[in-house]
Amino acid sequence: MEDKGIPREQIFRMIRKYKEIDLTHRSGRILGSMCTCPHPVGVEAYFMFLESNLGDPGLFPGTKSMEDEVIAMLGELLGKKDVFGHIITGGTEANLMAMRAARNTLKMDNPEIIVPQSAHFSFRKAADILCLKLIKADLDDDYRVKMASVEELISDNTVAIVGVAGTTEMGKIDPIEELSDLCLENDIYLHVDAAFGGYSIPFLKDAGYDLPKFDFSLQGVSSITIDPHKMGLAPIPTGGILFRKRKYLESMAVETPYLTEEMQSTVVGTRSGAAAAATWALLKHLGNEGYRKIAVECMEITLFLAEGIMKVGFELVTPPQLNIVAFRSKKISVEEIARRLEDRGWAISMASYPESIRIIVMPHLKREHIEAFLSDLEIINQD
Ligand code: 0PR
Protein backbone atom coordinates (compact mmCIF):
# COMPACT_ATOMS: atom_id res chain seq x y z
CA MET A 1 0.00 0.00 0.00
CA GLU A 2 1.28 3.47 -0.86
CA ASP A 3 1.59 6.12 1.81
CA LYS A 4 -0.04 8.80 -0.31
CA GLY A 5 -3.41 8.08 -1.92
CA ILE A 6 -3.88 8.04 -5.69
CA PRO A 7 -6.34 10.53 -7.26
CA ARG A 8 -9.74 9.25 -8.34
CA GLU A 9 -9.25 9.59 -12.11
CA GLN A 10 -6.01 7.68 -11.97
CA ILE A 11 -7.62 4.93 -9.88
CA PHE A 12 -10.31 4.43 -12.50
CA ARG A 13 -7.75 4.45 -15.31
CA MET A 14 -5.91 1.75 -13.39
CA ILE A 15 -8.89 -0.49 -12.66
CA ARG A 16 -10.23 -0.15 -16.20
CA LYS A 17 -7.18 -2.12 -17.33
CA TYR A 18 -8.27 -5.01 -15.13
CA LYS A 19 -11.85 -4.73 -16.32
CA GLU A 20 -10.70 -4.93 -19.95
CA ILE A 21 -9.20 -8.36 -19.30
CA ASP A 22 -12.54 -9.72 -18.08
CA LEU A 23 -15.11 -11.28 -20.36
CA THR A 24 -18.57 -9.71 -20.41
CA HIS A 25 -21.90 -11.45 -20.75
CA ARG A 26 -22.93 -8.73 -23.18
CA SER A 27 -20.33 -9.93 -25.70
CA GLY A 28 -22.42 -13.07 -26.23
CA ARG A 29 -19.28 -15.19 -25.86
CA ILE A 30 -20.09 -16.64 -22.45
CA LEU A 31 -22.02 -19.82 -23.13
CA GLY A 32 -21.40 -21.75 -19.92
CA SER A 33 -22.55 -19.41 -17.17
CA MET A 34 -25.76 -19.42 -15.16
CA CYS A 35 -25.36 -15.72 -14.52
CA THR A 36 -26.13 -12.93 -16.96
CA CYS A 37 -26.04 -9.14 -17.44
CA PRO A 38 -27.88 -7.76 -14.43
CA HIS A 39 -31.00 -5.82 -15.42
CA PRO A 40 -30.45 -2.01 -15.14
CA VAL A 41 -33.45 -1.57 -12.81
CA GLY A 42 -31.94 -4.13 -10.44
CA VAL A 43 -28.56 -2.41 -10.65
CA GLU A 44 -30.05 0.98 -9.79
CA ALA A 45 -31.96 -0.43 -6.83
CA TYR A 46 -28.84 -2.27 -5.69
CA PHE A 47 -26.80 0.96 -5.73
CA MET A 48 -29.46 2.76 -3.68
CA PHE A 49 -29.24 0.26 -0.84
CA LEU A 50 -25.49 -0.36 -0.73
CA GLU A 51 -25.16 0.71 2.90
CA SER A 52 -28.09 -1.29 4.25
CA ASN A 53 -27.26 -4.33 6.33
CA LEU A 54 -29.98 -6.93 6.84
CA GLY A 55 -27.85 -8.47 9.58
CA ASP A 56 -29.04 -5.58 11.75
CA PRO A 57 -32.52 -5.00 10.34
CA GLY A 58 -33.68 -2.63 13.07
CA LEU A 59 -31.46 0.02 11.52
CA PHE A 60 -32.94 -0.58 8.08
CA PRO A 61 -36.64 -1.31 8.62
CA GLY A 62 -37.43 -0.18 5.07
CA THR A 63 -35.02 -2.70 3.58
CA LYS A 64 -36.35 -5.38 5.94
CA SER A 65 -39.89 -4.71 4.68
CA MET A 66 -38.62 -5.15 1.13
CA GLU A 67 -37.04 -8.48 2.07
CA ASP A 68 -40.30 -9.65 3.66
CA GLU A 69 -42.26 -8.59 0.59
CA VAL A 70 -39.78 -10.32 -1.73
CA ILE A 71 -40.08 -13.55 0.25
CA ALA A 72 -43.89 -13.36 -0.04
CA MET A 73 -43.70 -12.62 -3.79
CA LEU A 74 -41.29 -15.52 -4.41
CA GLY A 75 -43.46 -17.75 -2.22
CA GLU A 76 -46.51 -16.83 -4.27
CA LEU A 77 -44.59 -17.60 -7.46
CA LEU A 78 -43.74 -20.99 -5.97
CA GLY A 79 -47.20 -21.99 -4.77
CA LYS A 80 -47.41 -20.60 -1.22
CA LYS A 81 -47.53 -16.94 -0.21
CA ASP A 82 -46.95 -17.39 3.53
CA VAL A 83 -43.45 -18.79 3.48
CA PHE A 84 -40.44 -17.86 5.62
CA GLY A 85 -36.98 -17.11 4.32
CA HIS A 86 -34.24 -14.74 3.39
CA ILE A 87 -32.43 -13.11 0.51
CA ILE A 88 -28.86 -14.33 0.75
CA THR A 89 -25.77 -14.76 -1.44
CA GLY A 90 -26.81 -17.57 -3.77
CA GLY A 91 -27.62 -21.22 -4.23
CA THR A 92 -24.74 -22.50 -2.13
CA GLU A 93 -25.80 -20.59 0.97
CA ALA A 94 -29.46 -21.48 0.37
CA ASN A 95 -28.70 -25.19 0.11
CA LEU A 96 -26.50 -24.97 3.20
CA MET A 97 -29.33 -23.32 5.16
CA ALA A 98 -31.86 -25.91 4.00
CA MET A 99 -29.63 -28.81 5.04
CA ARG A 100 -28.92 -27.12 8.36
CA ALA A 101 -32.64 -26.66 9.03
CA ALA A 102 -33.33 -30.31 8.21
CA ARG A 103 -30.51 -31.53 10.42
CA ASN A 104 -31.39 -29.25 13.34
CA THR A 105 -35.08 -30.13 13.20
CA LEU A 106 -34.55 -33.89 13.21
CA LYS A 107 -31.56 -34.06 15.60
CA MET A 108 -30.20 -37.52 14.73
CA ASP A 109 -26.90 -39.03 15.80
CA ASN A 110 -25.61 -39.94 12.34
CA PRO A 111 -27.57 -37.77 9.93
CA GLU A 112 -27.61 -38.61 6.22
CA ILE A 113 -28.90 -36.71 3.20
CA ILE A 114 -29.90 -38.28 -0.11
CA VAL A 115 -29.18 -36.17 -3.18
CA PRO A 116 -29.43 -37.05 -6.88
CA GLN A 117 -26.14 -37.79 -8.58
CA SER A 118 -26.83 -34.61 -10.56
CA ALA A 119 -27.00 -32.38 -7.46
CA HIS A 120 -24.82 -29.28 -7.40
CA PHE A 121 -21.49 -29.56 -5.55
CA SER A 122 -22.80 -27.12 -2.91
CA PHE A 123 -24.36 -30.17 -1.21
CA ARG A 124 -20.88 -31.61 -0.78
CA LYS A 125 -19.88 -28.41 0.99
CA ALA A 126 -23.05 -28.51 3.12
CA ALA A 127 -22.42 -32.15 4.05
CA ASP A 128 -18.84 -31.35 5.01
CA ILE A 129 -19.70 -28.26 7.07
CA LEU A 130 -22.70 -29.86 8.80
CA CYS A 131 -21.15 -33.32 9.28
CA LEU A 132 -23.81 -35.06 7.20
CA LYS A 133 -23.24 -38.25 5.26
CA LEU A 134 -23.87 -37.49 1.59
CA ILE A 135 -25.60 -40.33 -0.24
CA LYS A 136 -26.07 -40.14 -4.00
CA ALA A 137 -29.09 -41.59 -5.78
CA ASP A 138 -28.86 -42.85 -9.36
CA LEU A 139 -30.37 -41.11 -12.36
CA ASP A 140 -32.70 -42.56 -14.97
CA ASP A 141 -32.03 -42.57 -18.72
CA ASP A 142 -33.19 -38.98 -18.91
CA TYR A 143 -30.87 -37.75 -16.14
CA ARG A 144 -33.62 -37.35 -13.54
CA VAL A 145 -33.33 -38.97 -10.15
CA LYS A 146 -34.49 -42.59 -10.12
CA MET A 147 -37.25 -43.01 -7.53
CA ALA A 148 -36.38 -46.66 -6.88
CA SER A 149 -32.82 -45.64 -6.03
CA VAL A 150 -33.98 -42.95 -3.60
CA GLU A 151 -36.39 -45.37 -1.90
CA GLU A 152 -33.67 -47.94 -1.52
CA LEU A 153 -31.31 -45.45 0.12
CA ILE A 154 -33.72 -44.22 2.80
CA SER A 155 -32.60 -45.27 6.26
CA ASP A 156 -33.39 -44.42 9.89
CA ASN A 157 -30.69 -41.75 9.62
CA THR A 158 -32.14 -39.90 6.62
CA VAL A 159 -32.74 -36.27 7.59
CA ALA A 160 -33.38 -34.90 4.11
CA ILE A 161 -33.95 -35.78 0.50
CA VAL A 162 -33.05 -33.31 -2.22
CA GLY A 163 -34.70 -32.94 -5.62
CA VAL A 164 -33.45 -30.56 -8.29
CA ALA A 165 -35.69 -28.42 -10.49
CA GLY A 166 -33.26 -27.46 -13.22
CA THR A 167 -30.10 -29.51 -12.81
CA THR A 168 -26.80 -27.70 -13.16
CA GLU A 169 -25.49 -29.80 -16.04
CA MET A 170 -28.55 -30.95 -18.01
CA GLY A 171 -31.31 -28.57 -16.88
CA LYS A 172 -33.62 -31.45 -15.95
CA ILE A 173 -36.45 -31.42 -13.42
CA ASP A 174 -36.51 -34.33 -10.98
CA PRO A 175 -39.85 -36.05 -10.26
CA ILE A 176 -40.59 -33.72 -7.37
CA GLU A 177 -44.24 -34.82 -7.06
CA GLU A 178 -43.16 -38.41 -6.45
CA LEU A 179 -40.41 -37.29 -4.08
CA SER A 180 -43.01 -35.23 -2.21
CA ASP A 181 -45.30 -38.26 -1.77
CA LEU A 182 -42.37 -40.38 -0.64
CA CYS A 183 -41.26 -37.78 1.89
CA LEU A 184 -44.79 -37.33 3.25
CA GLU A 185 -45.17 -41.10 3.68
CA ASN A 186 -41.84 -41.41 5.47
CA ASP A 187 -41.92 -38.10 7.31
CA ILE A 188 -38.71 -36.86 5.70
CA TYR A 189 -37.70 -33.29 4.91
CA LEU A 190 -37.75 -32.56 1.17
CA HIS A 191 -35.64 -29.74 -0.21
CA VAL A 192 -36.03 -28.60 -3.81
CA ASP A 193 -33.01 -26.94 -5.37
CA ALA A 194 -34.63 -24.62 -7.91
CA ALA A 195 -31.67 -22.22 -7.95
CA PHE A 196 -31.79 -22.31 -11.73
CA GLY A 197 -35.37 -23.37 -12.55
CA GLY A 198 -37.23 -21.34 -9.92
CA TYR A 199 -37.36 -18.20 -12.04
CA SER A 200 -38.25 -19.99 -15.27
CA ILE A 201 -40.43 -23.08 -14.68
CA PRO A 202 -43.46 -21.15 -13.32
CA PHE A 203 -43.32 -18.67 -16.22
CA LEU A 204 -42.87 -21.36 -18.84
CA LYS A 205 -45.84 -23.28 -17.41
CA ASP A 206 -47.84 -20.07 -17.64
CA ALA A 207 -46.85 -19.79 -21.29
CA GLY A 208 -48.14 -23.31 -21.96
CA TYR A 209 -44.97 -25.42 -21.66
CA ASP A 210 -45.69 -28.86 -20.28
CA LEU A 211 -43.48 -29.00 -17.19
CA PRO A 212 -44.02 -30.93 -13.96
CA LYS A 213 -45.02 -29.58 -10.55
CA PHE A 214 -42.03 -28.80 -8.37
CA ASP A 215 -43.04 -26.24 -5.74
CA PHE A 216 -44.90 -25.68 -2.45
CA SER A 217 -48.17 -26.74 -4.08
CA LEU A 218 -46.78 -30.20 -3.30
CA GLN A 219 -47.37 -30.70 0.41
CA GLY A 220 -44.16 -32.65 0.99
CA VAL A 221 -41.87 -29.82 -0.11
CA SER A 222 -40.28 -28.27 3.00
CA SER A 223 -37.94 -25.71 1.39
CA ILE A 224 -36.91 -24.28 -1.96
CA THR A 225 -33.74 -22.60 -3.21
CA ILE A 226 -34.43 -19.94 -5.86
CA ASP A 227 -31.67 -17.66 -7.13
CA PRO A 228 -32.47 -14.15 -8.31
CA HIS A 229 -28.90 -13.82 -9.64
CA LYS A 230 -29.49 -16.58 -12.20
CA MET A 231 -32.70 -16.37 -14.31
CA GLY A 232 -33.97 -13.55 -12.06
CA LEU A 233 -31.48 -11.07 -13.64
CA ALA A 234 -30.46 -9.60 -10.28
CA PRO A 235 -26.88 -8.46 -9.63
CA ILE A 236 -24.51 -10.98 -8.01
CA PRO A 237 -24.67 -12.04 -5.17
CA THR A 238 -28.39 -12.57 -4.72
CA GLY A 239 -29.87 -15.89 -3.64
CA GLY A 240 -33.12 -16.93 -2.01
CA ILE A 241 -34.16 -19.58 0.49
CA LEU A 242 -37.82 -20.24 1.30
CA PHE A 243 -39.18 -22.51 4.04
CA ARG A 244 -42.72 -23.86 4.37
CA LYS A 245 -42.73 -23.42 8.15
CA ARG A 246 -41.26 -20.87 10.51
CA LYS A 247 -39.94 -23.67 12.74
CA TYR A 248 -37.23 -24.43 10.18
CA LEU A 249 -35.78 -20.93 10.49
CA GLU A 250 -36.18 -21.13 14.26
CA SER A 251 -34.25 -24.41 14.36
CA MET A 252 -31.15 -22.46 13.24
CA ALA A 253 -31.67 -19.27 15.22
CA VAL A 254 -28.97 -18.05 17.55
CA GLU A 255 -29.32 -15.21 20.02
CA THR A 256 -27.81 -11.88 18.99
CA PRO A 257 -27.42 -10.11 22.32
CA TYR A 258 -26.73 -6.56 21.15
CA LEU A 259 -28.34 -6.30 17.72
CA THR A 260 -31.71 -4.86 16.79
CA GLU A 261 -33.02 -8.36 16.06
CA GLU A 262 -33.03 -10.85 18.87
CA MET A 263 -32.42 -14.03 16.90
CA GLN A 264 -30.59 -14.69 13.65
CA SER A 265 -31.02 -17.74 11.42
CA THR A 266 -28.75 -16.88 8.50
CA VAL A 267 -25.26 -18.35 8.23
CA VAL A 268 -23.71 -14.93 7.73
CA GLY A 269 -24.18 -11.96 10.04
CA THR A 270 -23.74 -8.78 8.05
CA ARG A 271 -25.55 -9.23 4.77
CA SER A 272 -26.58 -7.22 1.78
CA GLY A 273 -29.82 -5.27 1.82
CA ALA A 274 -29.02 -4.23 -1.75
CA ALA A 275 -29.71 -7.76 -2.99
CA ALA A 276 -33.21 -7.70 -1.47
CA ALA A 277 -33.88 -4.24 -2.94
CA ALA A 278 -32.75 -5.32 -6.42
CA THR A 279 -34.92 -8.44 -6.28
CA TRP A 280 -37.93 -6.39 -5.12
CA ALA A 281 -37.43 -3.81 -7.89
CA LEU A 282 -37.11 -6.46 -10.59
CA LEU A 283 -40.11 -8.52 -9.50
CA LYS A 284 -42.23 -5.35 -9.56
CA HIS A 285 -40.72 -3.90 -12.74
CA LEU A 286 -40.73 -7.01 -14.91
CA GLY A 287 -43.81 -8.62 -13.41
CA ASN A 288 -45.12 -11.97 -14.58
CA GLU A 289 -45.30 -10.72 -18.13
CA GLY A 290 -41.68 -9.56 -18.26
CA TYR A 291 -40.27 -12.73 -16.72
CA ARG A 292 -42.52 -14.90 -18.90
CA LYS A 293 -41.16 -13.16 -22.00
CA ILE A 294 -37.55 -13.70 -20.88
CA ALA A 295 -38.09 -17.38 -20.03
CA VAL A 296 -39.89 -18.05 -23.32
CA GLU A 297 -37.25 -16.25 -25.39
CA CYS A 298 -34.51 -18.30 -23.75
CA MET A 299 -36.43 -21.51 -24.49
CA GLU A 300 -37.03 -20.55 -28.12
CA ILE A 301 -33.32 -19.84 -28.62
CA THR A 302 -32.53 -23.10 -26.80
CA LEU A 303 -34.64 -25.09 -29.25
CA PHE A 304 -33.10 -23.22 -32.19
CA LEU A 305 -29.64 -24.09 -30.80
CA ALA A 306 -30.56 -27.73 -30.21
CA GLU A 307 -31.81 -28.16 -33.78
CA GLY A 308 -28.77 -26.34 -35.17
CA ILE A 309 -26.39 -28.58 -33.24
CA MET A 310 -27.92 -31.66 -34.82
CA LYS A 311 -27.91 -30.05 -38.28
CA VAL A 312 -24.17 -29.36 -38.15
CA GLY A 313 -23.44 -32.96 -37.23
CA PHE A 314 -23.33 -33.25 -33.44
CA GLU A 315 -25.61 -35.20 -31.14
CA LEU A 316 -27.67 -33.99 -28.22
CA VAL A 317 -27.17 -35.86 -24.96
CA THR A 318 -30.86 -35.42 -24.16
CA PRO A 319 -33.70 -33.20 -25.40
CA PRO A 320 -33.57 -29.92 -23.44
CA GLN A 321 -36.28 -29.48 -20.80
CA LEU A 322 -35.10 -26.02 -19.72
CA ASN A 323 -32.62 -23.62 -21.31
CA ILE A 324 -29.55 -25.87 -21.17
CA VAL A 325 -28.27 -27.87 -24.14
CA ALA A 326 -25.70 -30.65 -23.73
CA PHE A 327 -24.08 -32.15 -26.81
CA ARG A 328 -21.18 -34.29 -28.02
CA SER A 329 -19.84 -35.81 -31.21
CA LYS A 330 -19.38 -39.34 -32.46
CA LYS A 331 -15.98 -38.53 -33.96
CA ILE A 332 -14.41 -35.72 -31.88
CA SER A 333 -13.75 -36.01 -28.14
CA VAL A 334 -15.45 -33.56 -25.82
CA GLU A 335 -12.08 -32.12 -24.72
CA GLU A 336 -11.13 -31.55 -28.35
CA ILE A 337 -14.45 -29.84 -29.16
CA ALA A 338 -13.94 -27.65 -26.09
CA ARG A 339 -10.39 -26.78 -27.15
CA ARG A 340 -11.43 -25.86 -30.68
CA LEU A 341 -14.34 -23.73 -29.44
CA GLU A 342 -12.10 -21.96 -26.95
CA ASP A 343 -9.59 -21.25 -29.73
CA ARG A 344 -12.42 -19.53 -31.54
CA GLY A 345 -13.18 -17.34 -28.54
CA TRP A 346 -16.15 -19.17 -27.01
CA ALA A 347 -16.30 -19.54 -23.23
CA ILE A 348 -18.02 -22.88 -22.84
CA SER A 349 -18.23 -25.39 -20.01
CA MET A 350 -18.21 -29.14 -19.87
CA ALA A 351 -20.70 -31.38 -18.15
CA SER A 352 -19.24 -34.28 -16.18
CA TYR A 353 -22.19 -36.66 -16.37
CA PRO A 354 -22.35 -37.58 -19.11
CA GLU A 355 -19.28 -35.88 -20.52
CA SER A 356 -20.46 -33.27 -22.96
CA ILE A 357 -20.34 -29.61 -23.90
CA ARG A 358 -22.99 -27.69 -22.05
CA ILE A 359 -24.51 -24.43 -23.21
CA ILE A 360 -26.72 -22.44 -20.89
CA VAL A 361 -28.93 -20.17 -22.95
CA MET A 362 -29.12 -17.23 -20.54
CA PRO A 363 -30.90 -13.98 -21.44
CA HIS A 364 -27.65 -12.37 -22.65
CA LEU A 365 -27.51 -14.86 -25.54
CA LYS A 366 -29.39 -13.66 -28.59
CA ARG A 367 -30.16 -15.47 -31.83
CA GLU A 368 -27.22 -13.81 -33.63
CA HIS A 369 -24.75 -15.13 -31.05
CA ILE A 370 -26.14 -18.64 -31.46
CA GLU A 371 -25.98 -18.36 -35.25
CA ALA A 372 -22.31 -17.34 -35.04
CA PHE A 373 -21.67 -20.22 -32.63
CA LEU A 374 -23.36 -22.74 -34.91
CA SER A 375 -21.35 -21.66 -37.92
CA ASP A 376 -18.13 -22.11 -35.91
CA LEU A 377 -19.37 -25.49 -34.76
CA GLU A 378 -19.94 -26.52 -38.36
CA ILE A 379 -16.36 -25.53 -39.26
CA ILE A 380 -15.02 -27.39 -36.23
CA ASN A 381 -16.80 -30.54 -37.36
CA GLN A 382 -15.13 -30.32 -40.76
CA ASP A 383 -11.58 -29.56 -39.45
N1 0PR B 1 -27.87 -25.18 -7.26
C1 0PR B 1 -27.83 -25.32 -8.58
C2 0PR B 1 -28.83 -26.19 -9.26
C3 0PR B 1 -26.84 -24.67 -9.31
O1 0PR B 1 -26.76 -24.86 -10.63
C4 0PR B 1 -25.91 -23.84 -8.63
C5 0PR B 1 -24.84 -23.09 -9.36
C6 0PR B 1 -26.01 -23.72 -7.23
C7 0PR B 1 -27.02 -24.41 -6.57
C8 0PR B 1 -25.08 -22.87 -6.45
O2 0PR B 1 -25.34 -21.55 -6.68
P1 0PR B 1 -24.29 -20.38 -6.38
O3 0PR B 1 -23.15 -20.56 -7.33
O4 0PR B 1 -25.10 -19.17 -6.61
O5 0PR B 1 -23.88 -20.52 -4.97
N2 0PR B 1 -24.73 -23.29 -10.69
C9 0PR B 1 -23.71 -22.72 -11.54
C10 0PR B 1 -22.66 -23.80 -11.83
O6 0PR B 1 -22.03 -24.32 -10.91
C11 0PR B 1 -23.05 -21.50 -10.99
C12 0PR B 1 -22.25 -20.76 -12.00
C13 0PR B 1 -22.64 -19.53 -12.45
C14 0PR B 1 -21.08 -21.28 -12.51
C15 0PR B 1 -21.90 -18.83 -13.36
C16 0PR B 1 -20.31 -20.60 -13.42
C17 0PR B 1 -20.72 -19.36 -13.86
O7 0PR B 1 -19.96 -18.66 -14.76
O8 0PR B 1 -22.51 -24.11 -13.00
Side-chain angles (χ1 to χ4, degrees):
M1 214 167 121
E2 339 246 337
D3 185 47
K4 204 166 156 43
I6 302 170
R8 185 180 183 277
E9 293 77 39
Q10 201 182 335
I11 289 291
F12 284 99
R13 264 202 308 279
M14 286 159 77
I15 60 172
R16 216 166 285 132
K17 291 216 171 69
Y18 291 92
K19 178 78 180 135
E20 280 163 9
I21 308 172
D22 286 353
L23 290 178
T24 62
H25 290 99
R26 207 168 301 281
S27 68
R29 288 273 155 180
I30 301 183
L31 305 178
S33 162
M34 270 190 187
C35 295
T36 191
C37 315
H39 189 289
V41 169
V43 173
E44 207 175 321
Y46 198 92
F47 268 131
M48 244 179 99
F49 286 79
L50 277 177
E51 74 173 293
S52 84
N53 170 16
L54 282 173
D56 200 1
L59 302 183
F60 306 100
T63 317
K64 182 62 194 147
S65 300
M66 289 181 109
E67 183 184 44
D68 293 344
E69 289 174 33
V70 163
I71 295 303
M73 284 190 270
L74 292 177
E76 194 176 18
L77 179 68
L78 301 179
K80 191 176 190 298
K81 200 170 173 186
D82 55 331
V83 290
F84 307 87
H86 289 295
I87 292 301
I88 48 179
T89 55
T92 301
E93 194 182 342
N95 289 338
L96 176 63
M97 280 183 72
M99 294 303 98
R100 185 174 173 220
R103 186 200 66 170
N104 289 8
T105 308
L106 270 109
K107 294 194 182 74
M108 290 193 186
D109 286 340
N110 300 298
E112 300 175 355
I113 56 172
I114 302 171
V115 308
Q117 199 196 321
S118 56
H120 185 257
F121 56 78
S122 47
F123 289 99
R124 276 173 45 200
K125 297 183 186 176
D128 184 30
I129 294 167
L130 299 167
C131 300
L132 303 166
K133 187 168 172 199
L134 184 74
I135 300 182
K136 291 193 176 174
D138 296 336
L139 305 185
D140 66 15
D141 294 343
D142 209 15
Y143 308 102
R144 301 177 172 98
V145 78
K146 214 186 252 174
M147 287 306 296
S149 173
V150 176
E151 279 171 51
E152 222 176 86
L153 293 170
I154 292 177
S155 79
D156 291 344
N157 296 324
T158 309
V159 288
I161 292 177
V162 172
V164 188
T167 57
T168 306
E169 296 198 328
M170 299 290 140
K172 293 286 170 166
I173 305 167
D174 284 327
I176 308 293
E177 188 158 9
E178 291 169 51
L179 287 173
S180 167
D181 291 345
L182 183 71
C183 286
L184 283 176
E185 267 165 38
N186 292 278
D187 202 16
I188 295 174
Y189 184 108
L190 174 61
H191 174 63
V192 176
D193 181 357
F196 181 61
Y199 261 95
S200 57
I201 302 167
F203 302 115
L204 291 173
K205 280 165 85 92
D206 243 20
Y209 283 74
D210 182 20
L211 295 171
K213 285 188 185 170
F214 75 104
D215 62 13
F216 287 116
S217 61
L218 302 167
Q219 293 307 309
V221 174
S222 305
S223 54
I224 303 182
T225 289
I226 174 171
D227 269 1
H229 71 194
K230 295 190 168 78
M231 285 298 287
L233 271 56
I236 300 167
T238 306
I241 180 68
L242 308 178
F243 293 98
R244 178 181 291 278
K245 294 180 184 156
R246 191 192 295 276
K247 72 169 187 185
Y248 294 127
L249 273 181
E250 287 169 354
S251 77
M252 302 185 272
V254 296
E255 279 175 39
T256 55
Y258 50 84
L259 295 185
T260 51
E261 68 176 351
E262 279 168 22
M263 305 291 278
Q264 193 173 83
S265 300
T266 45
V267 177
V268 292
T270 300
R271 70 191 169 92
S272 161
T279 309
W280 191 100
L282 285 172
L283 284 166
K284 294 281 187 196
H285 177 66
L286 290 169
N288 279 310
E289 191 189 23
Y291 276 118
R292 190 162 57 234
K293 194 161 166 273
I294 291 164
V296 167
E297 262 173 31
C298 287
M299 272 318 285
E300 285 172 352
I301 299 177
T302 299
L303 298 178
F304 171 69
L305 170 64
E307 275 172 30
I309 284 172
M310 291 188 285
K311 263 190 218 147
V312 298
F314 292 80
E315 62 172 31
L316 299 183
V317 170
T318 170
Q321 193 174 20
L322 294 176
N323 44 325
I324 298 184
V325 182
F327 69 96
R328 57 196 168 192
S329 157
K330 282 206 168 67
K331 56 176 196 188
I332 317 172
S333 73
V334 172
E335 288 75 21
E336 182 58 21
I337 305 172
R339 200 186 55 75
R340 293 185 196 175
L341 284 170
E342 274 157 18
D343 285 350
R344 288 177 173 269
W346 297 103
I348 45 92
S349 67
M350 284 189 276
S352 62
Y353 186 79
E355 268 190 34
S356 48
I357 305 285
R358 137 199 193 254
I359 309 286
I360 307 158
V361 185
M362 293 300 290
H364 60 270
L365 292 177
K366 306 296 175 203
R367 205 170 269 259
E368 63 264 27
H369 302 129
I370 297 301
E371 280 166 358
F373 174 73
L374 287 170
S375 66
D376 273 1
L377 206 55
E378 188 164 22
I379 296 169
I380 282 171
N381 204 29
Q382 287 155 1
D383 277 352

